[in-house]
Amino acid sequence: GINAEYMEAVVSTQSTWEAVVSTQSTWVMGKESETLHDCAVEYDDTPGKLYGLPFEEVRNLPKPKKNQYAYQAGNGHSYSIDLSDMTQTNVGTDHTRRVRRMLATDSSVPWAQHASIVRDLAYSRAYWSGDTTASFSKVPLAKDGNEFGQVSKLFGMTMDASQITQIERVQNKSQYAHFITFLRELQKEFADGRKWDESTKQPIRWDEGKHYKMLFHGSDAHVLDKLVSCRDGFSQTFVSVHVYGLGTYFARDASYSNNYSRVDRKTGMKKMIVAMVAVGRYHFGNTDDKTPNEGYDTLTDDPSQTDPSIFVIEHASHAYPGYVITYKPGY
C-alpha cells in the first residue's frame, strides 16, 4: 500500500487552472474508489509533467473553457483533463479516472515512485532460473524483460540508465534463506502488535512501501563480488563508514551509491548492488550508535524520520543482494 507520508502529500481534490500554471506539480492517477487511501497507484514520475505534457507546455496553453483541456500522452493515447471535478478521460475509450495533484517539491515524491517500481517488480525467488540447484549463481537479465526494465528504472531515478551494460540476478540460497527468515519474523512482530507508536499509543501496522525497500549499495567491484557470493552477505567485515552509526549502508538514490563504486581497472566499468532491505522501523542514527534503539530495526540519515534516503542495517540477514548492475562510469 501507499505509505502515510505519501498520502499526506496529496493536495486537495479540487484545483484551478491558475494553480496548474503557477505551481509545478506531479500528478497521480487514482483507482475508481473514492476513498483517499486507494488513490495514487500510477503517476508521471517527472516533476512538472502532467501525464506526458511538460509543465512549460501547460503554462503556454490558452486557458481552457470550464477548466478543461486535452493532450496526448507518451503512450499514444489522447486524454482530456477536467480540473473542476479532477478527472482524466481517455478520448478513445471514454474511460474516466480520478486524478490528484502532488507538489513537485514534496519530499515523498521519490518514495512514491520508488514504491511503485518495487511493486511492479514484485521480486520473488520464483524468478530464479538457470541452475537453481547451485548454492550460488548470477544470471544475466534479458534487456527486454520486466526485471531488467524495473531495476534500470530504479537506477534511472537519479542516474543515466542508458549507461547500464548488464544487470545480473543474484541467486544465493544461503543469503536468501536468512533474509526471508528475518523478513517473516519482522512482519510477525508488526502483526502481533509488538511495534508500538509511542506518540499515538497504538500498534504500528506493517506497511510494505515503508518497511520493505529496494536500495543501492556501492563499493569496489571485487568487494561486491565477494558480498553476493559468500554465505554471510552484508557482514560487518565490509563496513568502513560510521556517519549514522555502525552497520552496512544502503541508499535510496543510485547517484549516492555511485560515489562509493570504483572503476574496475580490468573492465573499465563500475558495479552496484540493488538489495532488498527489510528496514522495519527506523530512527536517526548518530556516529556512535552501534545498534538501533529498542523497538527499532534500522538507523537513517533523517532526523525528522519522514524522508530518509540512507539506511544502516546492523545484521546481514536484514538485506539480500538481489541484483548487480554493471554500468559505464559516466559521472
Side-chain angles (χ1 to χ4, degrees):
I2 304 298
N3 62 40
E5 289 83 7
Y6 178 89
M7 293 318 306
E8 288 173 1
V10 177
V11 184
S12 168
T13 57
Q14 298 300 314
S15 185
T16 64
W17 181 254
E18 285 77 15
V20 173
V21 298
S22 63
T23 307
Q24 291 203 16
S25 305
T26 291
W27 291 71
V28 295
M29 180 187 299
K31 294 180 180 178
E32 273 60 46
S33 172
E34 293 295 312
T35 56
L36 185 63
H37 67 271
D38 276 336
C39 292
V41 291
E42 189 177 352
Y43 52 90
D44 188 333
D45 54 39
T46 306
K49 280 192 174 184
L50 179 61
Y51 288 106
L53 187 62
F55 175 77
E56 289 303 322
E57 291 183 26
V58 175
R59 184 192 295 275
N60 294 329
L61 285 173
K63 182 176 180 178
K65 296 180 180 179
K66 297 181 180 179
N67 279 335
Q68 295 180 357
Y69 66 94
Y71 71 98
Q72 185 168 6
N75 59 12
H77 289 280
S78 294
Y79 298 93
S80 64
I81 292 286
D82 188 334
L83 297 178
S84 61
D85 63 0
M86 297 301 288
T87 58
Q88 175 216 54
T89 301
N90 186 311
V91 177
T93 65
D94 207 35
H95 181 66
T96 298
R97 285 181 282 197
R98 298 175 65 221
V99 293
R100 293 179 182 271
R101 182 168 64 94
M102 189 163 65
L103 297 181
T105 56
D106 187 270
S107 60
S108 61
V109 172
W111 278 124
Q113 181 183 2
H114 180 279
S116 176
I117 294 171
V118 174
R119 283 195 304 272
D120 290 343
L121 175 60
Y123 182 87
S124 167
R125 183 173 170 175
Y127 290 171
W128 289 18
S129 59
D131 183 6
T132 56
T133 63
S135 59
F136 165 75
S137 63
K138 285 193 298 183
V139 178
L141 302 181
K143 292 188 175 182
D144 59 351
N146 179 61
E147 277 185 281
F148 189 101
Q150 298 302 331
V151 175
S152 62
K153 188 185 295 184
L154 200 64
F155 181 88
M157 286 178 62
T158 57
M159 296 279 285
D160 183 359
S162 68
Q163 300 298 309
I164 297 175
T165 60
Q166 180 177 248
I167 300 177
E168 298 167 289
R169 184 197 311 116
V170 177
Q171 301 179 175
N172 187 313
K173 286 186 174 181
S174 175
Q175 287 195 43
Y176 191 75
H178 290 309
F179 172 68
I180 289 299
T181 298
F182 171 76
L183 178 62
R184 289 171 179 167
E185 290 175 351
L186 183 62
Q187 290 172 326
K188 191 173 187 303
E189 286 186 33
F190 279 87
D192 292 346
R194 285 181 279 165
K195 295 294 184 181
W196 198 259
D197 188 325
E198 295 82 1
S199 61
T200 63
K201 306 300 181 183
Q202 296 292 324
I204 302 171
R205 298 179 61 183
W206 173 263
D207 185 330
E208 192 77 12
K210 183 175 183 179
H211 302 130
Y212 169 86
K213 300 181 183 295
M214 288 181 64
L215 304 170
F216 295 97
H217 181 83
S219 187
D220 294 342
H222 74 278
V223 172
L224 296 188
D225 288 339
K226 289 181 180 178
L227 274 173
V228 301
S229 61
C230 70
R231 291 177 57 86
D232 299 329
F234 296 100
S235 69
Q236 300 294 343
T237 305
F238 302 101
V239 173
S240 60
V241 179
H242 307 281
V243 179
Y244 302 109
L246 181 64
T248 305
Y249 282 60
F250 296 88
R252 176 192 64 196
D253 303 329
S255 58
Y256 180 88
S257 295
N258 178 62
N259 296 324
Y260 295 89
S261 296
R262 300 289 179 263
V263 176
D264 188 326
R265 294 181 179 179
K266 294 181 180 179
T267 65
M269 298 291 178
K270 282 188 170 187
K271 288 186 177 182
M272 189 181 299
I273 287 175
V274 182
M276 290 70 177
V277 186
V279 297
R281 227 186 146 198
Y282 42 81
H283 69 83
F284 178 64
N286 295 298
T287 303
D288 297 330
D289 287 343
K290 296 182 179 179
T291 183
N293 296 338
E294 184 177 357
Y296 291 83
D297 310 286
T298 308
L299 302 172
T300 75
D301 65 325
D302 181 26
S304 69
Q305 300 182 42
T306 58
D307 186 38
S309 61
I310 300 171
F311 295 81
V312 186
I313 65 169
E314 179 184 7
H315 301 293
S317 59
H318 293 202
Y320 176 73
Y323 301 95
V324 175
I325 298 176
T326 302
Y327 61 103
K328 301 174 184 178
Y331 294 83

